[in-house]
Amino acid sequence: MKKKALSDKYPIGQLVRSRQGRDQNRLYIVTAVGDRNLDAADGTKWTVSKPKRKNPLHLQKINIRMDAEITDADIVKIIQTFENRKKKKKRKKKK
């Protein structure tokens, strides 16, 4: 059986969460895909012009994807929206 290409599993614009390392639980958007690694940006520290190189084994895929051209402002907005939705769900569970 043939392995899926890295670009099929993590398309550009995919929201991912870091599972290991110093940046554990941090959210990123995939900006480029290589043979063994991918580049990810969070819009603040790691921008689209200077992304963080990540090992795909250390990432968790989240079912949100950007289809438009990726800018730092858009990345920050999507990450904040996702985190706010997550906080609202936790508040409802506590009640």
Side-chain angles (χ1 to χ4, degrees), residues 13-16 27-30 41-43 62-86:
Q14 180 69 49
L15 183 66
V16 294
L27 296 171
Y28 295 98
I29 297 285
V30 175
D42 65 2
I62 298 175
N63 289 328
I64 296 176
R65 185 171 167 211
M66 290 179 62
D67 289 329
E69 189 173 325
I70 301 170
T71 64
D72 292 326
D74 292 337
I75 292 173
V76 170
K77 187 176 178 180
I78 286 189
I79 289 174
Q80 286 176 346
T81 302
F82 180 78
E83 288 176 341
N84 289 339
R85 279 197 316 184
K86 189 175 163 189

Side-chain angles (χ1 to χ4, degrees), residues 4 9 18 28 37 40 55-56 70-71 74 86 88 93:
K4 272 189 172 180
K9 188 171 182 183
S18 177
Y28 295 98
N37 293 311
N55 181 339
I70 301 170
T71 64
D74 292 337
K86 189 175 163 189
K88 285 181 183 179
K93 287 182 181 180

